[in-house]
Amino acid sequence: MSGILTYALHYENEVNKNSLGAVSEAARLAKEIGGEAHAVVVGEDISDELCQSLGAYGASKVYRAHAPDGLAQPVVDVMAKLISDHGYSYALFGGGLLGFEIGAGLTARLNAGVTMEVTEVKAVAGKLVAVRPILQDSAVVDSGYVSEPGIIIGRLNAFEADASSNGASAQVEDVEVELSEWSTKATMVTRGEQRGAEVNIEDADTLVAGGRGLGKADGFSELCEPLAEALGGAVAATRAVVDAGWYSYSAQIGQTGKTVAPKLYLAAGISGAIQHKVGMQAAENIVAINKDPNAPIFEFSDLGVVGDLNKIIPKLTEAVKAKRGG
Amino acid sequence: MKICVLVKEVPDAAVEKRIDSGSKRLDRSGEKNLNPFDTHAIEAAMQVKEGGAVDVDEVVAVTMGPESAFRALHKAVSLGADRSVHLTDEALVDSDCCATGYALAKVLEQESPDLVLLGQQSDDGECYTMGAIVADHLKMPSLTQVIKMDVEEGKLRCERQAEYGYDTVEVNLPAVISVGDAINEPRYPSLKAIMGAKKKQLDTKSIGDVGIEADRVGTGGSRTSVLAVNPPPAKQAGEIIEDEDTNETVEKIVAWLDERKLLV
């Protein structure tokens, strides 16, 4: 069977948006190469409704396996067995931490080719070709697979969720898979802990985002917050500074954070790594202030300012206040 | 306890990277450096060793790469590793992720470490995947993108950011852990350590030395093939202001924002 198997991540009885994108993309591609798109859901307490709901995104069958939630290796066991038993040609993942880990595990288990950070998948003569930007997006590689299965791991937001098969319900099949001994050696202690205050950045028209270039946690209160206030916007942050405890997790942009598309995105001291870029590149206007003229963010900003943000931002804040009559 | 740290030599971030049009592979000539994420992995190993919670007998840096990659090992050793292993063989050239993970796992098998550490991504290519590939070959539990790691006898307590917030996971040893750059602030090597690096044991291994099957590595063993390398979609370059006179710079920024009606 030349089908495509995807993994659908779920949490609190809801399927992850990037997983819905992966299921939709698998359904679209399966049609082109002549096969079906099936999905795998793994967890401890998964409802029939949650599984069936993937039908709207084009999955004709959903396998449900009982195993610990939120860990990759049990899913590798489940998917490896399904691929071996049913001969899927490809396994496809949306952008996310677990997708990377599961895809990588399958690569080893099945001696399969893997392509990651994929932004587009093409069907060429019944086979899939993964398109992947490399080297900070300075080149784009078309990658083919010399054997089946091929593992495709998407970049965050690369695949759009498409619920146009609305009304279709996926067939649900329970599968029992014996976990590998090493897959039982990791135990979730706490999951989904929120750190820092709850802030809403997704509805803001203007975001002032701070990165490691701020130099210290106080950079947020001293520079970003006053400027955001003057502009009538909110403050966002990169993963590096959130992990460092400088700012709230709920304000984080990018991979494992939020995806935003404000009218103005002002990046202060942000180098512009891909994992950040994927969360904010849809912003209408991107302004970057960074002292490093080689920072990748200048390659996709509309206005780049090379300079010391400690000098520029206080004056900019005053000037914006004066202009907006605040 | 024995810790192996996987390291990689990558093109220096300050040097322009390019794809060789003939081989369609990353041109790895030019300035090289130890992958920055790997310095965090070495630091994590050193903190386990110096932390006192467990006894660490040795920290071994392991790399796979061309002859020149010994420089990454020297750097790793100058940062505290006790010795290093360099897997290098013509047969390995052009290995993809799948083949590379297999080859590294074979070297590690021979070392039989209790803990394998690596950086969560390399500056030049394979993102996030190598830890999980190696772990499955070694039949070890694994977590990637870990930003806090506490060691107890026989197990680790790890924290990382996942899709829905921070997860805390307990992992039994032996295990493979890839670390993010928030996990620590790597030390700078002392001049003495840099000078001494060349004197520490460095074992060079060929594929035969570690039992790698030749048909599972290199071009023939790779499961992906590069069909084409294209330039990225053209994006109009943005305007750049170099800040010389800050008052003037600010005026320009405000005018730019005002023109786009972003200050209403």
Side-chain angles (χ1 to χ4, degrees):
Chain A
M1 182 177 68
S2 59
I4 304 175
L5 190 63
T6 63
Y7 167 67
L9 170 67
H10 71 100
Y11 186 63
E12 292 178 341
N13 213 29
E14 223 177 282
V15 179
N16 178 271
K17 184 175 136 266
N18 271 285
S19 293
L20 294 176
V23 173
S24 307
E25 182 73 1
R28 179 184 77 77
L29 294 165
K31 253 183 233 158
E32 289 198 42
I33 61 171
E36 289 185 15
H38 296 167
V40 176
V41 188
V42 178
E44 279 168 344
D45 187 20
I46 307 163
S47 69
D48 288 347
E49 290 74 25
L50 182 127
C51 298
Q52 287 159 352
S53 73
L54 295 173
Y57 299 88
S60 54
K61 187 191 278 188
V62 174
Y63 297 102
R64 173 171 56 191
H66 188 89
D69 271 302
L71 294 169
Q73 284 170 306
V75 185
V76 174
D77 292 333
V78 174
M79 291 185 76
K81 180 169 177 13
L82 290 169
I83 292 169
S84 302
D85 287 356
H86 303 286
Y88 291 94
S89 301
Y90 300 93
L92 186 121
F93 300 88
L97 176 140
L98 281 184
F100 275 95
E101 291 186 339
I102 300 162
L106 286 174
T107 296
R109 191 77 60 89
L110 304 171
N111 191 28
V114 61
T115 311
M116 68 296 285
E117 292 277 341
V118 170
T119 51
E120 186 193 343
V121 186
K122 301 186 281 201
V124 181
K127 301 218 178 279
L128 297 186
V129 173
V131 181
R132 177 197 177 199
I134 56 164
L135 305 178
Q136 293 286 346
D137 291 0
S138 63
V140 181
V141 167
D142 282 5
S143 186
Y145 297 87
V146 298
S147 59
E148 291 187 351
I151 314 290
I152 301 164
I153 306 174
R155 180 179 274 187
L156 192 76
N157 301 319
F159 309 132
E160 207 149 316
D162 171 10
S164 60
S165 305
N166 215 346
S169 176
Q171 179 201 338
V172 182
E173 188 176 318
D174 285 300
V175 286
E176 279 196 32
V177 176
E178 200 185 329
L179 299 185
S180 304
E181 191 235 335
W182 62 95
S183 298
T184 61
K185 301 286 186 190
T187 321
M188 186 73 75
V189 180
T190 53
R191 187 178 181 201
E193 184 195 336
Q194 302 300 306
R195 292 183 181 174
E198 186 60 37
V199 291
N200 180 358
I201 56 171
E202 283 153 304
D203 299 331
D205 277 340
T206 297
L207 284 175
V208 176
R212 213 192 274 278
L214 288 171
K216 56 184 197 297
D218 291 345
F220 277 97
S221 56
E222 289 166 10
L223 300 172
C224 296
E225 284 173 358
L227 178 56
E229 196 185 327
L231 286 163
V235 172
T238 64
R239 174 170 175 170
V241 297
V242 170
D243 274 346
W246 293 6
Y247 215 68
S248 292
Y249 166 67
S250 62
Q252 184 186 308
I253 304 289
Q255 194 102 36
T256 66
K258 305 260 167 64
T259 298
V260 293
K263 286 202 177 91
L264 171 63
Y265 189 91
L266 195 147
I270 294 176
S271 69
I274 302 300
Q275 292 71 28
H276 181 74
K277 182 182 172 183
V278 292
M280 49 66 76
Q281 60 189 350
E284 279 176 43
N285 294 282
I286 299 169
V287 177
I289 305 175
N290 199 307
K291 66 173 191 280
D292 175 10
N294 296 317
I297 196 153
F298 290 131
E299 283 160 31
F300 56 94
S301 54
D302 302 296
L303 176 65
V305 183
V306 182
D308 180 357
L309 45 86
N310 291 299
K311 274 163 57 186
I312 297 166
I313 290 184
K315 287 191 172 177
L316 179 59
T317 304
E318 290 313 310
V320 168
K321 267 193 209 162
K323 188 83 192 172
R324 295 185 79 227
Chain B
M1 176 166 163
K2 175 172 175 176
I3 303 176
C4 282
V5 185
L6 291 176
V7 299
K8 184 178 184 188
E9 187 180 47
V10 296
D12 196 298
V15 178
E16 200 184 340
K17 297 157 193 166
R18 61 174 211 97
I19 294 286
D20 182 84
S21 56
S23 69
K24 294 182 185 149
R25 293 280 165 178
L26 183 61
D27 179 358
R28 293 175 199 271
S29 61
E31 284 301 306
K32 300 285 178 58
N33 212 336
L34 178 61
N35 177 39
F37 279 88
D38 299 345
T39 62
H40 295 274
I42 296 164
E43 181 62 32
M46 295 312 294
Q47 289 187 8
V48 173
K49 187 175 176 177
E50 293 161 0
V54 291
D55 280 332
V56 175
D57 304 316
E58 60 172 353
V59 174
V60 183
V62 176
T63 199
M64 163 177 149
E67 205 214 318
S68 65
F70 74 85
R71 288 175 301 197
L73 293 174
H74 280 172
K75 179 86 187 285
V77 165
S78 74
L79 289 167
D82 298 297
R83 64 178 174 90
S84 58
V85 179
H86 183 184
L87 174 65
T88 188
D89 199 304
E90 272 302 308
L92 295 165
V93 175
D94 281 349
S95 291
D96 69 355
C97 285
C98 176
T100 302
Y102 159 74
L104 286 170
K106 294 305 276 186
V107 183
L108 291 167
E109 248 171 45
Q110 210 173 50
E111 291 286 336
S112 61
D114 302 286
L115 174 60
V116 178
L117 293 170
L118 67 159
Q120 69 179 23
Q121 68 204 79
S122 65
D123 250 18
D124 64 338
E126 297 91 30
C127 289
Y128 305 125
T129 49
M130 202 45 69
I133 296 176
V134 165
D136 201 79
H137 283 297
L138 295 175
K139 301 189 178 353
M140 287 183 188
S142 143
L143 276 189
T144 65
Q145 306 190 38
V146 168
I147 58 158
K148 187 167 188 289
M149 186 179 84
D150 294 316
V151 188
E152 294 165 40
E153 207 51 60
K155 66 180 177 188
L156 305 169
R157 195 180 174 90
C158 300
E159 289 181 20
R160 62 168 173 178
Q161 196 187 99
E163 274 75 9
Y164 298 100
Y166 286 87
D167 292 352
T168 302
V169 183
E170 259 182 19
V171 184
N172 290 7
L173 293 171
V176 179
I177 304 291
S178 89
V179 303
D181 53 356
I183 194 167
N184 54 40
E185 204 56 62
R187 66 194 70 185
Y188 288 99
S190 67
L191 189 60
K192 192 172 158 233
I194 295 169
M195 301 304 286
K198 287 178 187 149
K199 295 197 189 85
K200 288 198 189 169
Q201 183 184 343
L202 191 162
D203 295 313
T204 302
K205 308 258 183 190
S206 66
I207 62 166
D209 295 334
V210 291
I212 290 170
E213 295 165 40
D215 60 354
R216 289 192 64 180
V217 294
T219 315
S222 293
R223 306 285 95 197
T224 51
S225 68
V226 175
L227 305 175
V229 180
N230 299 307
K235 181 185 189 295
Q236 203 166 0
E239 202 176 312
I240 295 280
I241 303 171
E242 304 250 5
D243 179 39
E244 278 157 14
D245 175 334
T246 302
N247 290 327
E248 211 175 283
T249 300
V250 165
E251 247 174 66
K252 283 185 197 161
I253 301 172
V254 170
W256 191 94
L257 295 172
D258 198 32
E259 218 172 279
R260 285 156 186 82
K261 305 201 168 13
L262 295 167
L263 295 177
V264 289

